Amino acid sequence: MDIQGATITDVVNVLTVSLPRGRVIEMHKRAYYGLSLCIDGGQITYTQNGIECTENRTHAVILPMGADYTLRTDTTGIFPVINFLVSEPIEDEITVFEVQNSNYFIKCYEELKKLCLSDGSRTKKLSLLY
């Protein structure tokens, strides 16, 4: 995926999702692109078109807009999700990337969440997401 070349046009919302172990969710035609990471020791396995990928403290995922997939919580956890829009489609498959400094990402997420709750600066929101 070439997310580096993507132009993010809007941060739609920011959610903190708490999921118990064993929870299975079917997603159909995801409304937005999403960036999801894990705050604690939780773990999710995503399955899309028969391919599995894992999100945990050291691996975040980009969830594609319009995608169908299943997620299964392997370990109870708290998962921040940032939903966003881009000017041109970037990918139609779930993409996993390694997180070198998850504490930094979580700090940015918390700041972005505060901005979204207070209807803060769009420019600052986009800057944090980038």
Side-chain angles (χ1 to χ4, degrees):
M1 172 194 310
D2 185 18
I3 187 91
Q4 293 178 349
T7 301
I8 300 170
T9 58
D10 196 17
V11 175
V12 178
N13 58 33
V14 178
L15 312 165
T16 304
V17 182
S18 178
L19 294 172
R21 181 179 185 273
R23 178 87 186 265
V24 176
I25 299 171
E26 300 254 346
M27 178 63 69
H28 298 284
K29 299 197 185 313
R30 190 172 209 292
Y32 310 105
Y33 286 97
L35 168 62
S36 182
L37 54 138
C38 182
I39 287 179
D40 55 12
Q43 179 170 296
I44 294 176
T45 297
Y46 295 88
T47 305
Q48 182 186 28
N49 301 323
I51 299 170
E52 289 189 349
C53 55
T54 301
E55 170 189 354
N56 53 37
R57 181 77 175 188
T58 59
H59 294 87
V61 295
I62 301 287
L63 303 166
M65 188 167 100
D68 296 335
Y69 57 87
T70 302
L71 66 89
R72 178 188 73 242
T73 311
D74 302 318
T75 308
T76 299
I78 299 172
F79 305 90
V81 179
I82 303 165
N83 290 310
F84 61 96
L85 295 171
V86 297
S87 59
E88 299 290 328
I90 53 175
E91 185 62 67
D92 58 0
E93 295 178 357
I94 296 171
T95 302
V96 179
F97 61 95
E98 189 172 350
V99 176
Q100 297 293 327
N101 183 351
S102 60
N103 290 331
Y104 175 75
F105 280 99
I106 292 165
K107 180 182 172 193
C108 289
Y109 166 79
E110 291 297 336
E111 190 172 339
L112 182 58
K113 183 177 173 182
K114 287 177 190 174
L115 285 169
C116 287
L117 290 172
S118 67
D119 200 25
S121 163
R122 179 177 176 273
T123 303
K124 182 69 174 166
K125 290 178 197 176
L126 293 175
S127 174
L128 284 166
L129 181 54
Y130 273 105

